Amino acid sequence: MNRDVEKILVTEDELVQISKKLGEQITKDYKGKKLLIVGVLKGSIYFFTDLSRHIDLPCNIDFIQASSYGASTVSSGEIKIIKDISEDLTGFDVLLVEDILDTGKTLKHIHDMLSKRNPESIAIVTLLDKPARREADIYADYVGVDVPNEFVVGYGLDYDQFYRNLPYIGVLKKEVYTK
Ligand code: IMP
Ligand code: MG
């Protein structure tokens, strides 16, 4: 285990099972639809690639990047779109893929922005949900697993751009971000 990690919350095996289970559910729900899966960069990339391989349907993929955090563990609340999607959303059933739903401000901003572009529907799948921290009026249609109110890293999630490549989700030791 990485020495900055206090404990593992979601193991590699559990992550495999989560993608498989959600992928199968999404495959059922989106049969016959015009699916576009949109990964929210950068945090969702590991989950996005694993999940999408369990979606047994024709689909398009795209990416969007927003930022609010910087080198901090709390959201600044001010969302900037750094990279927009390149597809025209008209007629697509859009599925936003996120790493973690925390205050919800990021996804609320992205959801409201994309809603104005004529999609057939927009839904959200998030690997992790921290419901205790929700501020914006937004919920996920599909949730991998609920996590407690602790700062987590790994499998795409970062602190100051590090730890994304850990193969599990772990709680970051407080001394790492309080020093
Ligand atoms: P929100 O706008 O507060 O919901 O924040 C969403 C974004 O903040 C996520 O996409 C993550 O990139 C980041 N984030 C929130 N909580 C954590 C965490 O515990 N670890 C790492 N990143 C987090
Ligand atoms: Mg992020």
Side-chain angles (χ1 to χ4, degrees):
M1 188 168 81
N2 185 288
R3 65 193 168 91
D4 293 341
V5 169
E6 189 178 290
K7 64 169 184 262
I8 294 179
L9 267 191
V10 192
T11 66
E12 285 187 68
D13 283 351
E14 286 164 344
L15 288 166
V16 171
Q17 289 314 313
I18 288 170
S19 282
K20 187 167 184 291
K21 189 169 159 239
L22 290 174
E24 287 170 358
Q25 186 61 49
I26 290 163
T27 301
K28 280 191 197 135
D29 296 350
Y30 282 82
K31 202 161 186 261
K33 297 191 174 180
K34 196 179 165 194
L35 178 60
L36 170 66
I37 45 178
V38 176
V40 182
L41 296 174
K42 301 173 188 171
S44 77
I45 59 159
Y46 294 82
F47 178 49
F48 183 94
T49 55
D50 285 343
L51 173 72
S52 59
R53 281 177 287 182
H54 288 288
I55 299 176
D56 187 14
L57 293 172
C59 70
N60 282 209
I61 70 169
D62 208 337
F63 298 94
I64 191 165
Q65 186 170 12
S67 115
S68 81
Y69 264 50
S72 160
T73 59
V74 283
S75 181
S76 69
E78 231 180 89
I79 316 297
K80 275 190 300 205
I81 299 296
I82 297 172
K83 184 223 169 284
D84 204 342
I85 52 171
S86 44
E87 301 291 328
D88 176 1
L89 295 189
T90 310
F92 273 110
D93 289 289
V94 177
L95 183 60
L96 286 169
V97 182
E98 179 60 303
D99 53 356
I100 186 166
L101 197 48
D102 188 33
T103 66
K105 288 175 185 166
T106 309
L107 267 186
K108 172 84 177 143
H109 183 92
I110 292 173
H111 184 278
D112 290 356
M113 186 181 95
L114 299 184
S115 300
K116 294 177 188 139
R117 298 188 193 168
N118 236 359
E120 188 65 26
S121 68
I122 303 187
I124 292 169
V125 52
T126 186
L127 172 63
L128 308 176
D129 195 359
K130 265 191 208 170
R133 299 241 320 148
R134 194 66 32 81
E135 289 176 39
D137 179 22
I138 189 106
Y139 65 92
D141 302 84
Y142 305 92
V143 176
V145 62
D146 282 356
V147 289
N149 187 9
E150 291 181 287
F151 198 78
V152 294
V153 292
Y155 196 65
L157 291 127
D158 73 304
Y159 170 64
D160 202 10
Q161 299 304 327
F162 286 98
Y163 311 104
R164 291 195 198 272
N165 60 330
L166 299 180
Y168 48 79
I169 306 273
V171 176
L172 190 63
K173 285 182 182 164
K174 288 210 173 56
E175 66 228 44
V176 177
Y177 55 84
T178 49
K179 59 184 172 207

